[in-house]
Amino acid sequence: MVEFYYHDNKDTPDNFTEAHSTGEHVPEAELARIGVFYRKCPTIEELDKVAVERQYKNRDEITLNLKTFNNDLDAYNAKMKQFYAEHYHEDEEIRYIVEGEGYFDVRNKDDRWIRARMEPEDLLVLPAGIYHRFTLSDGPKHIKAIRLFKDEPKWEAINRGDRPDSAARQEYVQSLA
């Protein structure tokens, strides 16, 4: 089952895949206030229903684990560090977990990290423009997820501080005001 809690901000390049919980639970209502949508979908039929409701027309599947990188630990670690860099996208990021587990971190209105521990049957939708990051958990180091898209996938990650905020980021910030 999904867990939402405040991140302890004690992560390092060597331990960011650990839980890092403050023990302070975050209710789903707080996530909804920052535009994050969560739903438990025990079946693909329920996922399909959400996809129709939210007008997601395309999907694919992704698997991340050491085997994905031909057991090259350096390549695996480099990709995990890339995903963990704080960034946003100009489109929603939608993930439905099929196998394994991982963490999505999102910034709240006060710029504090909220961590979502995701497991199978969890669906998470991050709004366009929200700062976030992702990592596999320290345990299985494996995840298989379905990615949903409204249109064709756009996968440019815009790292915090790399360039001026795009229209998607500006609109997101205005939606919080």
Side-chain angles (χ1 to χ4, degrees):
M1 171 135 193
V2 73
E3 294 177 66
F4 299 113
Y5 55 85
Y6 286 109
H7 190 285
D8 68 8
N9 291 320
K10 295 179 182 173
D11 50 334
T12 69
D14 298 321
N15 74 3
F16 64 87
T17 60
E18 295 174 7
H20 289 287
S21 177
T22 60
E24 191 178 350
H25 173 77
V26 175
E28 282 182 48
E30 183 171 339
L31 289 161
R33 283 193 289 276
I34 59 171
V36 175
F37 173 87
Y38 169 79
R39 173 113 13 115
K40 185 76 163 179
C41 294
T43 66
I44 293 296
E45 290 77 22
E46 290 185 45
L47 175 65
D48 292 342
K49 183 179 173 186
V50 173
V52 169
E53 289 169 4
R54 295 181 64 92
Q55 301 176 7
Y56 302 137
K57 299 175 189 124
N58 297 308
R59 68 178 67 188
D60 68 8
E61 207 170 84
I62 184 169
T63 300
L64 290 173
N65 55 35
L66 191 54
K67 189 176 177 181
T68 306
F69 296 91
N70 296 316
N71 294 316
D72 181 339
L73 188 58
D74 291 334
Y76 169 85
N77 286 334
K79 184 57 78 173
M80 290 305 104
K81 287 178 182 175
Q82 179 185 349
F83 287 153
Y84 201 63
E86 184 175 1
H87 64 279
Y88 70 89
H89 302 284
E90 293 185 321
D91 292 321
E92 289 181 327
E93 182 163 334
I94 306 107
R95 296 291 182 274
Y96 174 73
I97 309 305
V98 177
E99 298 173 355
E101 63 182 41
Y103 299 113
F104 276 94
D105 298 339
V106 296
R107 292 276 188 189
N108 73 0
K109 289 182 181 184
D110 299 321
D111 218 25
R112 193 171 176 196
W113 283 118
I114 297 172
R115 179 159 272 195
R117 181 177 168 270
M118 306 289 293
E119 294 182 334
E121 302 178 357
D122 289 334
L123 171 68
L124 191 69
V125 179
L126 305 181
I130 191 172
Y131 280 117
H132 66 281
R133 58 190 183 187
F134 171 79
T135 188
L136 295 177
S137 68
D138 205 28
K141 294 185 178 169
H142 166 80
I143 203 162
K144 181 178 182 180
I146 295 173
R147 303 183 297 186
L148 301 169
F149 310 96
K150 287 197 176 193
D151 296 304
E152 292 301 314
K154 293 182 203 168
W155 280 111
E156 183 182 7
I158 303 168
N159 289 343
R160 190 169 193 163
D162 274 0
R163 62 181 186 210
D165 289 343
S166 71
R169 175 69 186 157
Q170 291 172 18
E171 288 171 23
Y172 175 72
V173 170
Q174 288 175 348
S175 77
L176 298 177

